[in-house]
Amino acid sequence: QVQLQESGPGLVKPSQTLSLTCTVSGGSISRSDYYWSWIRQHPGKGLEWIGYILYSGTTYYNPSLESRVTISVDTSKNQFSLKLSSVTAADTAVYYCARGGPTWYMDVWGKGTTVPISS
Amino acid sequence: QSVLTQPPSASGTPGQRVTISCSGSISNIGSKPVHWYQQLPGTAPKLLIYNNNQRPSGVPDRFSGSKSGASASLAISGLQSEDEAYYYCAAWDDSLKGRGVFGGGTKLTVL
């Protein structure tokens, strides 16, 4: 079955760019009926949707983060990526990648990766 | 402040039926499908209910969802100790150029 795995640096310094990659295994990222999403969860808090990308490269971002977010896809590697610029301590969170269906439900999630923002 | 409103906590004893509410507006629950997620401690969220009342394969029929107007509910019958978790509702919201929104989460305690 389809599995997702996040990867990236364990620590990012303030003002730098956070970069994460999600590797999709057990299925192709190049299916037109799926949305590939990033979601984050601040420590002890609820879930926040960051954005999604289609295999075609079409993106949709949370307006509250849009100015700092870029999501891209590499179909040759079956991966999609997140870049969040100008990070602060407020961006410290667990970051999840997920596969989404047509009505924005997310049926397959990665295990999540904790990204502390600290100097 | 979350766009979708859930009670912060709920509780029940084994075997009981509990419901968790989720309140929104016309721009989200009132016009879009609602989805529910279960998050056990230290794990990623798991899709529990999608499109208001559909269960993914493998989710027990003890879990059910419903929607009326701009509100939705998750019901859990035959409560079990392993149901102790956080539950989140979610929906697409057509305001502010469109965005996905979640409820603040409800901590379910099995007494």
Side-chain angles (χ1 to χ4, degrees):
Chain A
Q1 72 278 18
V2 174
Q3 292 183 312
L4 280 64
Q5 177 67 58
E6 305 88 352
S7 59
L11 180 70
V12 181
K13 289 181 168 47
S15 80
Q16 291 189 339
T17 296
L18 179 161
S19 297
L20 295 173
T21 295
C22 183
T23 300
V24 179
S25 59
S28 173
I29 202 171
S30 300
R31 281 189 55 166
S32 59
D33 48 348
Y34 289 129
Y35 300 68
W36 303 96
S37 286
W38 287 98
I39 304 99
R40 69 180 182 179
Q41 186 168 33
H42 294 104
K45 302 294 185 184
L47 301 166
E48 180 183 29
W49 175 70
I50 298 171
Y52 67 64
I53 190 166
L54 306 182
Y55 83 100
S56 62
T58 301
T59 54
Y60 215 105
Y61 302 137
N62 189 327
S64 67
L65 296 168
E66 188 172 19
S67 63
R68 298 194 292 132
V69 171
T70 303
I71 298 177
S72 59
V73 66
D74 187 335
T75 54
S76 67
K77 294 182 180 177
N78 230 32
Q79 294 176 335
F80 62 107
S81 299
L82 168 70
K83 289 190 188 300
L84 182 65
S85 64
S86 305
V87 298
T88 70
D91 295 307
T92 292
V94 177
Y95 286 77
Y96 297 100
C97 60
R99 184 182 79 173
T103 55
W104 192 72
Y105 59 85
M106 285 160 284
D107 63 345
V108 182
W109 292 66
K111 290 189 167 91
T113 185
T114 300
V115 182
I117 310 298
S118 175
S119 54
Chain B
Q1 198 77 349
S2 301
V3 174
L4 305 182
T5 302
Q6 297 180 239
S9 64
S11 64
T13 56
Q16 267 191 331
R17 182 178 187 272
V18 298
T19 61
I20 296 171
S21 62
C22 177
S23 177
S25 66
I26 188 66
S27 65
N28 43 66
I29 295 177
S31 58
K32 301 295 181 187
V34 177
H35 319 300
W36 291 89
Y37 298 89
Q38 176 193 61
Q39 187 174 33
L40 298 170
T43 69
K46 169 191 169 184
L47 181 65
L48 206 58
I49 297 287
Y50 67 101
N51 292 352
N52 305 325
N53 54 20
Q54 302 299 301
R55 281 187 309 276
S57 173
V59 173
D61 59 7
R62 302 188 295 107
F63 295 91
S64 62
S66 63
K67 186 178 94 165
S68 177
S71 294
S73 291
L74 172 71
I76 308 172
S77 60
L79 198 62
Q80 299 179 4
S81 58
E82 54 260 41
D83 298 332
E84 186 160 295
Y86 277 90
Y87 293 85
Y88 295 91
C89 59
W92 188 258
D93 185 289
D94 274 337
S95 64
L96 294 179
K97 304 195 315 185
R99 54 178 175 157
V101 293
F102 291 94
T106 298
K107 175 68 164 72
L108 174 63
T109 300
V110 180
L111 301 168

